[in-house]
């Protein structure tokens, strides 16, 4: 059974940085897509970034381009999201997700972590 465990959320002032981690276990395929989504209160869940573990260019939402960097450590089955120059509008619950292939749609992803809260104060 696939399990995703996020860590690294917290509270930070605007302009600060945080790094999220997502450790995956139990995936049958050697390569798969991993992504970060976020959901703020009263808003829909949105895709932030995603990466295919087998290679290829990562995807970033326009709102985070140039500030967030997604990376992976295949040896550790772990994905990271380095978040710099954080803004109050980045405040949300951040979720790690995985699926056999990448998609822009959250509902496509079969596996989800429990979420980690990121709060950015002005």
């Amino acid at each position: 059974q696939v399990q995703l465990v996020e860590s690294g959320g917290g509270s930070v002032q605007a302009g600060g940085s945080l790094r999220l981690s997502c450790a995956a276990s139990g995936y049958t395929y050697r390569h798969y897509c991993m992504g970060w989504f976020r959901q703020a209160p009263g808003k829909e869940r949105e895709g932030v970034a995603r990466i295919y573990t087998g290679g290829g260019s990562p995807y970033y939402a326009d709102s985070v381009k140039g500030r967030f960097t997604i990376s992976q450590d295949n040896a550790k089955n772990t994905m990271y999201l380095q978040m710099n120059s954080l803004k109050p509008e980045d405040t949300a619950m951040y979720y790690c997700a995985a699926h056999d292939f990448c998609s822009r749609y959250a509902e496509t992803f079969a596996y989800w972590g429990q979420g980690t809260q990121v709060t950015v104060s002005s």
Side-chain angles (χ1 to χ4, degrees):
Q1 184 174 351
V2 176
Q3 287 190 318
L4 304 174
V5 180
E6 301 110 330
S7 60
S11 297
V12 65
Q13 289 190 328
S17 299
L18 286 172
R19 188 176 84 153
L20 306 183
S21 300
C22 175
S25 62
Y27 218 99
T28 302
Y29 300 124
R30 180 180 179 185
H31 293 299
Y32 45 95
C33 187
M34 294 187 77
W36 290 99
F37 292 80
R38 66 186 181 186
Q39 189 166 20
K43 294 188 177 181
E44 292 187 354
R45 189 169 297 191
E46 64 168 339
V48 175
R50 58 183 177 266
I51 190 168
Y52 185 67
T53 64
S57 299
Y59 160 85
Y60 296 97
D62 288 343
S63 57
V64 307
K65 279 181 182 177
R67 301 188 298 122
F68 290 11
T69 302
I70 190 171
S71 61
Q72 58 179 343
D73 184 336
N74 285 346
K76 296 182 179 180
N77 291 325
T78 300
M79 174 181 65
Y80 305 96
L81 186 68
Q82 178 66 43
M83 305 185 294
N84 298 329
S85 302
L86 283 161
K87 304 175 180 179
E89 51 262 44
D90 294 316
T91 295
M93 184 70 78
Y94 283 70
Y95 297 90
C96 169
H99 193 60
D100 300 351
F101 56 87
C102 285
S103 169
R104 62 183 295 183
Y105 301 108
E107 55 267 28
T108 301
F109 284 76
Y111 307 104
W112 292 84
Q114 79 284 359
T116 185
Q117 179 68 37
V118 171
T119 302
V120 185
S121 58
S122 57

